[in-house]
Amino acid sequence: MAIIGIVAEYNPFHNGHLHLITEAKRTDSSSPVVCVMSGNFLQRGEPAICNKWARAEMALKSGADLVIELPFCFSVRSAYYFAQGALKLLQRSGVITHLAFGAESDSLQALNSITEILAAEPAAYSKLVKKNLAGGKSFPLARSQALQQYLGKRSAELQAVLSGPNNILAIEYLRVIKEESLALVPILIKRIGSGYHDTNLSPFASATAIRNHLLTNHGLNDLGGSMPQAGLKILEREISLGRCPVSLDPLERAVLVKLRTMSLQDLRAIYEISEGLESRFKEAAGCSGTLNQLLESVKSKRYSFTRIKRTLMYILFQLTHEQILSFDQHGPMYLHILGFSAKGQKILQEIKNKSELPIFSRGKDMKKARDENPGSSLRDMIDLEVRATDVYTLLYPEPSERQAGKDFTTSPIIVY
């Protein structure tokens, strides 16, 4: 029996996500779907619109069978490391046979053509990347242009592929499968509806459009056609409880305080800070009164808004170069279960029999593992996740909901 893995953020779960699950199960509707989902902070360096348990519940009520959390140290990274962490976690579950993912392209051959180059890193291609970086371009742009330059006449047919954000992530999935020799059969599903950055509501609206509506209107008006009803009801509940919508704005002063009180030496130790970026952050923090001013001051051709926001998360949570080296060496070190269905419960039992990773299916399991492994990378990975959740709850609109320790007290969502 095929067991399908999906990597997602579900920020929030919308009709496009439902389409991917439905299409992934088209050949065999009985195939279980196991989702690896980012926790409370995401790849764009932002908090999720609602917490990880609510988003897991949305997925479970829309066809997913088991939702496992992608640890913070992978969920807030660039596309390659995000993909690497998620796919290693799926592989280490011991049960996943297939990987389903969406992309703007419907050509697995075109995506694989680019994957082959990225995995092999031919000398001529690497030289072009370095040349573009030296010219002040951001890494994604430097790599995209290097690929087009390297491919020459073939670049025209692949240029559209390189411009699609979902294509880029799909390429990274394929690259990780190849580099790590993972036993995952890719299932490519063409993305339908609005583009990734489209801000208009529609039956297949982007998550960006839905979030913008929630943050602007603080309500569910006009979202009925863009999300499954189950997800809308969960959003309505979270809003009524004061746990949604969550945004980056409340972290504004905390980030500025952190930057103004950290030394340049401490900043240099933070992951992805190099080549004088610490001085750029320090100077910007001294003359910025808002987060937007800070972002505008640090942004350059080389440093995009997304990379800057991710780096701010590393600074806020004191994620260092040294820690990342350890995390990448070990890969995901546990399976934190956010929720499951009746079918998912059976898969979970199979995982317990086949996986070598510790499984946290109760909050006290995570606490026990943390307390019994002092000074270990496992403890560091758990501590980072716990801190992220403790900070996230401070972003809730309702003050009475802002308690810490949720990772130790919240049970998985069970949907039968």
Side-chain angles (χ1 to χ4, degrees):
M1 177 180 65
I3 300 181
I4 301 167
I6 290 176
V7 181
E9 292 185 327
Y10 296 147
N11 186 36
F13 192 98
H14 55 61
N15 289 340
H17 298 131
L18 178 62
H19 171 75
L20 192 147
I21 291 177
T22 302
E23 289 297 306
K25 298 174 71 170
R26 182 171 290 280
T27 55
D28 184 357
S29 61
S30 66
S31 293
V33 171
V34 177
C35 298
V36 169
M37 189 190 78
S38 299
N40 288 322
F41 287 88
L42 310 176
Q43 198 196 4
R44 291 181 61 80
E46 298 174 348
I49 196 76
C50 58
N51 72 54
K52 54 193 177 187
W53 291 283
R55 287 161 33 241
E57 185 179 2
M58 292 178 190
L60 291 167
K61 288 187 174 179
S62 299
D65 295 297
L66 178 63
V67 182
I68 305 171
E69 180 178 19
L70 180 63
F72 178 93
C73 59
F74 303 109
S75 70
V76 294
R77 305 274 296 283
S78 59
Y80 174 74
Y81 296 103
F82 172 88
Q84 186 182 62
L87 267 57
K88 281 186 175 181
L89 193 151
L90 285 172
Q91 179 75 5
R92 291 177 183 184
S93 73
V95 302
I96 307 301
T97 60
H98 292 67
L99 176 72
F101 53 90
E104 289 86 0
S105 172
D106 59 358
S107 172
L108 193 59
Q109 181 180 357
L111 297 175
N112 271 320
S113 295
I114 298 172
T115 301
E116 293 288 341
I117 299 170
L118 297 181
E121 288 195 2
Y125 160 74
S126 296
K127 185 177 180 180
L128 289 167
V129 173
K130 292 176 182 177
K131 180 181 178 181
N132 291 337
L133 287 172
K137 295 182 174 66
S138 66
F139 178 76
L141 181 58
R143 189 177 74 168
S144 176
Q145 291 186 354
L147 281 166
Q148 293 178 53
Q149 292 161 348
Y150 178 78
L151 290 166
K153 293 181 180 179
R154 293 179 57 207
S155 68
E157 65 186 270
L158 296 177
Q159 190 169 359
V161 175
L162 294 169
S163 65
N166 292 98
N167 287 343
I168 297 301
L169 193 52
I171 289 165
E172 299 297 6
Y173 292 144
L174 295 170
R175 177 184 174 188
V176 171
I177 288 173
K178 182 177 181 61
E179 289 180 348
E180 302 288 339
S181 300
L182 301 182
L184 296 172
V185 178
I187 302 173
L188 173 62
I189 296 169
K190 183 174 174 56
R191 180 187 174 97
I192 61 175
S194 301
Y196 183 86
H197 299 294
D198 197 311
T199 57
N200 295 316
L201 293 177
S202 68
F204 285 95
S206 67
T208 300
I210 295 171
R211 289 195 304 274
N212 286 350
H213 180 83
L214 283 168
L215 292 169
T216 302
N217 298 286
H218 298 283
L220 302 177
N221 296 334
D222 303 321
L223 290 182
S226 302
M227 294 178 62
Q229 286 301 306
L232 277 173
K233 289 180 179 179
I234 293 166
L235 270 184
E236 184 177 19
R237 180 195 70 205
E238 294 299 301
I239 291 171
S240 69
L241 292 171
R243 298 196 295 240
C244 177
V246 169
S247 74
L248 190 61
D249 293 344
L251 282 176
E252 180 174 84
R253 294 188 185 183
V255 168
L256 289 171
V257 166
K258 198 77 174 177
L259 283 169
R260 290 189 183 187
T261 56
M262 287 180 73
S263 68
L264 286 172
Q265 183 177 352
D266 288 339
L267 279 171
R268 289 188 195 103
I270 299 298
Y271 175 59
E272 281 210 336
I273 290 188
S274 61
E275 301 174 337
L277 185 56
E278 69 278 6
S279 297
R280 196 178 183 92
F281 269 117
K282 196 73 173 173
E283 182 179 347
C287 61
S288 299
T290 68
L291 196 55
N292 284 336
Q293 288 174 350
L294 177 74
L295 293 171
E296 289 287 352
S297 296
V298 179
K299 184 182 180 297
S300 67
K301 289 183 179 179
R302 185 156 196 173
Y303 302 114
S304 66
F305 279 131
T306 299
R307 178 175 172 182
I308 297 166
K309 285 193 289 186
R310 278 202 299 263
T311 307
L312 289 177
M313 292 301 102
Y314 308 149
I315 293 168
L316 185 64
F317 292 100
Q318 295 181 285
L319 184 58
T320 66
H321 295 285
E322 185 178 355
Q323 283 182 306
I324 284 293
L325 285 173
S326 175
F327 293 149
D328 286 348
Q329 180 182 359
H330 289 93
M333 301 181 71
Y334 59 81
L335 298 166
H336 182 204
I337 308 303
L338 295 177
F340 52 84
S341 67
K343 188 186 292 184
Q345 191 170 27
K346 295 178 182 178
I347 297 301
L348 183 55
Q349 184 57 53
E350 192 175 341
I351 291 173
K352 289 178 179 177
N353 295 332
K354 293 185 177 181
S355 179
E356 296 180 357
L357 296 182
I359 298 171
F360 304 150
S361 53
R362 298 171 298 178
K364 65 180 183 180
D365 296 334
M366 180 179 278
K367 188 176 189 304
K368 181 180 179 183
R370 198 261 328 243
D371 294 345
E372 291 182 352
N373 292 276
S376 67
S377 292
L378 173 61
R379 175 164 183 147
D380 287 345
M381 194 174 288
I382 294 171
D383 274 344
L384 188 57
E385 197 61 57
V386 172
R387 288 203 306 274
T389 301
D390 287 350
V391 169
Y392 182 85
T393 59
L394 288 173
L395 309 181
Y396 286 158
E398 172 54 49
S400 65
E401 290 287 334
R402 295 173 184 167
Q403 302 93 343
K406 296 291 187 182
D407 279 311
F408 296 152
T409 59
T410 306
S411 299
I413 303 297
I414 302 175
V415 175
Y416 289 131

